[in-house]
Amino acid sequence: MRIALHSVIVDGSIDQYRSRHARIPDDLRALFAEAGIHDWTIWRSGRNLFHVVDCADFDRAMSVVESAPANAAWQKDIGRFVEGFYGPDGEVGFLPIERVWSLEEQNRTAP
């Protein structure tokens, strides 16, 4: 399962956000593995961040991650630099953004 997320960096916090992501804490990395998160990639365009999460089951993964002390510590640190997460229609919250099209899927289903 591949899920895309969108967040925004607090103005003036790009360098701090980058430095915190140079290497995430080992306990958080272990938590992601426990939660079934295989990869999490982040791209930046200006203050906008685009995340792609590869996982077995996103809802299950988030239920494991959200209740863990390692995540609470990470959110306390990284949260200072993130204005918020936004869903597909701009609503505030940790919601996947809409996938519109995939070349891979089209190629797989093409006649």
Side-chain angles (χ1 to χ4, degrees):
M1 167 179 267
R2 188 175 297 147
I3 300 294
L5 305 166
H6 172 226
S7 61
V8 177
I9 298 174
V10 170
D11 194 30
S13 298
I14 292 168
D15 291 337
Q16 297 95 326
Y17 185 87
R18 271 197 205 112
S19 72
R20 292 300 192 286
H21 278 87
R23 181 173 174 88
I24 66 167
D26 288 339
D27 60 347
L28 185 65
R29 195 168 50 86
L31 174 62
F32 285 171
E34 175 189 331
I37 298 172
H38 313 296
D39 193 19
W40 189 314
T41 306
I42 304 171
W43 288 272
R44 183 182 72 83
S45 178
R47 291 179 48 222
N48 292 289
L49 300 172
F50 301 94
H51 311 244
V52 174
V53 182
D54 288 302
C55 59
D57 178 329
F58 182 72
D59 291 332
R60 180 196 168 284
M62 290 302 97
S63 70
V64 170
V65 168
E66 288 172 355
S67 63
N71 183 58
W74 175 248
Q75 293 307 319
K76 184 176 179 180
D77 180 35
I78 202 68
R80 299 176 291 156
F81 310 116
V82 179
E83 183 178 289
F85 274 84
Y86 299 91
D89 294 314
E91 64 275 27
V92 176
F94 199 69
L95 303 169
I97 58 177
E98 177 186 5
R99 187 180 88 166
V100 176
W101 175 79
S102 164
L103 175 62
E104 179 183 33
E105 185 175 306
Q106 182 174 332
N107 286 339
R108 204 174 43 242
T109 61

